[in-house]
Amino acid sequence: MKERPSILERLHALPKRKIARWAAVGYVAVVIGGAFLGAEIALRSKTRWVKGTFVPVGRRGNSVFLPASPETLSRGVIGMVPIRPNRGHALLGEAKVVGTLVRREILRERGRIPDGSVAWASTFVYNGTPSQLGVEFENTSVPTDVGDMPAWFIPQLHGAAAAEGKDAIAIVIHGHGGQRAQALRMLPTLMESGVASLFVTFRNAYGAPRIGKGYLTLGDQEADDVLHALDWAKERGFKRAILYGFSMGGNIALCAAQRQDRWPIPVTGVILDCPALEWRDVMYSQGERYGLPRFLAGPVARLTELIVTRRSGQNFDTVDQLAAATRFTLPMLLFHGTRDRTIPIRQSDQLAQLRPDLVEYHRVEGAKHIRCWNISPRKYDEAVLNFIRKVLPEVGK
């Protein structure tokens, strides 16, 4: 009985022109499919839940033992929230692998996380509201031309101005597909500095009004919501502000920072955590992240840009903050992690090189996207405190 030829033998037997045609078809299919998927993510991405994982908790004294997962093995500190009927929150220290488990020490705890409970564990540390930190806050909204944007307001706690509520405020801006809770890690330091805080939500994000087809504009129109947040702050009696943006929130902050003619109160500085500074480069890097070779990643990124522009009218030059670097006038505190696979660190490297006169740059070794705080909370908090004291002199005194 004659043996059937192998797949490789059959491929070698095919005419080269036919193989080339099928390769071309495959190339075009990958480019088009990847571009349409990338465009949909760029235009609409939003999530309700803060990223984390549910894990069973073993506890011995001040140590907890968790199953190994990307979250529980992450470098730096993480947070843990037990599911009901248990209540509370714990901040956990560095991970140590013990057999098949991960051991972490409890650094701070509110309530009690008992042995045998099930909890949410995350590098974002918190998944609720400021009340999860034991902080009183006001659920409010920022009126804009396209609807009311949900926000959390935390008043000043220090200084004579705190009684009147008329000094400085930080406008905190989450990222693409993100939530306000992702920035709660930074709230204690903002409170310590003496500034009030307004954690804002922008149009077409989860919980905010849907405008038109619900497309994001990657920082351009969302910056209008931040300008309205400054209006809200002025109406509350605040006299000056800083902007604090995460990921796409950084791009939003920089767009708002360039519209000085629309500031109702002075903005004196900008804090950026892993900011998205140039979206075309982000789309290219995302293609590489998901395994596309360079000869595919480039065409997918260019076609994604074209599709986004055709669908939403997006002007990528308007949100190119590297091209705008010469126009910046405000001091900036910039953090970026070397393990960021969402926004390439080369963008922050370039901004720091372009504007060393304005940018205080902290390049955090081993940090993932918007997880710079987790690697060394003390160093991160000190940098934020010192920056606020520099750009908001006399705040909280």
Side-chain angles (χ1 to χ4, degrees):
M1 184 176 177
K2 189 176 180 181
E3 290 187 4
R4 297 179 62 183
S6 68
I7 294 175
L8 286 177
E9 289 172 335
R10 279 182 277 177
L11 285 173
H12 282 302
L14 287 173
K16 291 183 178 180
R17 287 185 178 180
K18 190 171 185 179
I19 294 175
R21 284 197 298 268
W22 279 110
V25 169
Y27 177 88
V28 171
V30 169
V31 169
I32 293 175
F36 273 96
L37 177 61
E40 186 65 20
I41 293 171
L43 289 168
R44 293 187 189 273
S45 182
K46 61 181 180 181
T47 52
R48 177 178 181 179
W49 308 110
V50 179
K51 181 182 177 182
T53 184
F54 289 97
V55 293
V57 179
R59 179 165 184 170
R60 298 292 182 272
N62 211 43
S63 300
V64 294
F65 297 83
L66 311 171
S69 73
E71 289 293 307
T72 62
L73 286 168
S74 290
R75 287 187 59 181
V77 301
I78 67 171
M80 192 165 64
V81 180
I83 63 173
R84 293 181 178 180
N86 300 302
R87 295 186 179 184
H89 177 271
L91 184 68
L92 308 181
E94 286 280 358
K96 295 181 180 179
V97 177
V98 181
T100 60
L101 298 175
V102 177
R103 185 181 74 192
R104 289 180 181 263
E105 300 300 312
I106 296 176
L107 304 179
R108 292 200 302 267
E109 186 175 21
R110 296 186 70 250
R112 177 75 178 174
I113 301 180
D115 180 40
S117 61
V118 176
W120 173 88
S122 174
T123 48
F124 287 118
V125 183
Y126 300 100
N127 63 357
T129 68
S131 62
Q132 207 168 39
L133 290 79
V135 174
E136 293 184 3
F137 72 103
E138 176 188 339
N139 259 319
T140 185
S141 59
V142 174
T144 75
D145 296 338
V146 294
D148 292 344
M149 304 296 160
W152 297 328
F153 172 59
I154 300 93
Q156 290 167 289
L157 299 180
H158 304 292
E164 302 176 9
K166 294 182 179 179
D167 195 359
I169 189 168
I171 309 298
V172 184
I173 314 156
H174 66 78
H176 188 284
Q179 308 84 17
R180 286 171 284 171
Q182 291 176 340
L184 285 175
R185 293 164 289 168
M186 295 74 187
L187 179 57
T189 301
L190 291 174
M191 293 170 61
E192 183 181 349
S193 76
V195 301
S197 302
L198 186 68
F199 285 62
V200 297
T201 309
F202 50 78
R203 64 190 69 192
N204 295 319
Y206 178 80
R210 174 189 167 101
I211 310 305
K213 295 181 179 180
Y215 293 156
L216 299 172
T217 63
L218 307 181
D220 182 16
Q221 294 178 20
E222 294 84 0
D224 289 340
D225 302 330
V226 171
L227 294 170
H228 283 293
L230 293 173
D231 288 330
W232 181 98
K234 182 181 180 181
E235 290 177 4
R236 288 291 185 106
F238 289 97
K239 297 176 182 177
R240 50 190 178 151
I242 61 170
L243 307 180
Y244 196 159
F246 297 80
S247 192
M248 176 176 138
N251 198 300
I252 296 170
L254 292 174
C255 284
Q258 295 174 68
R259 301 172 189 177
Q260 298 185 19
D261 58 324
R262 295 178 58 189
W263 293 352
I265 57 176
V267 176
T268 62
V270 180
I271 304 176
L272 304 169
D273 193 317
C274 302
L277 300 172
E278 210 287 282
W279 286 102
R280 285 166 286 216
D281 181 49
V282 171
M283 293 186 295
Y284 175 82
S285 70
Q286 286 300 298
E288 288 191 315
R289 173 185 178 181
Y290 289 104
L292 293 181
R294 291 186 177 183
F295 73 89
L296 281 173
V300 168
R302 289 190 290 272
L303 184 55
T304 300
E305 178 187 356
L306 176 63
I307 294 169
V308 170
T309 301
R310 292 291 297 271
R311 289 176 64 180
S312 70
Q314 176 72 50
N315 185 336
F316 281 82
D317 291 335
T318 302
V319 291
D320 184 345
Q321 305 302 343
L322 295 177
T326 56
R327 300 194 295 271
F328 296 148
T329 60
L330 296 176
M332 302 178 197
L333 176 62
L334 173 62
F335 298 94
H336 213 124
T338 59
R339 291 185 60 205
D340 193 331
R341 298 181 64 206
T342 303
I343 306 297
I345 193 172
R346 58 178 174 262
Q347 296 190 5
S348 287
D349 291 344
Q350 187 175 350
L351 177 61
Q353 291 166 5
L354 289 169
R355 295 308 305 265
D357 55 323
L358 294 179
V359 176
E360 176 189 331
Y361 186 26
H362 294 260
R363 203 175 195 269
V364 184
E365 188 65 36
K368 296 186 290 186
H369 186 57
I370 57 174
R371 311 305 204 286
C372 295
W373 179 89
N374 302 66
I375 297 298
S376 180
R378 182 183 59 81
K379 288 183 179 178
Y380 188 106
D381 292 343
E382 283 180 357
V384 170
L385 278 173
N386 291 334
F387 181 78
I388 291 175
R389 288 166 182 158
K390 180 177 73 173
V391 300
L392 292 170
E394 305 301 316
V395 69
K397 293 185 179 179

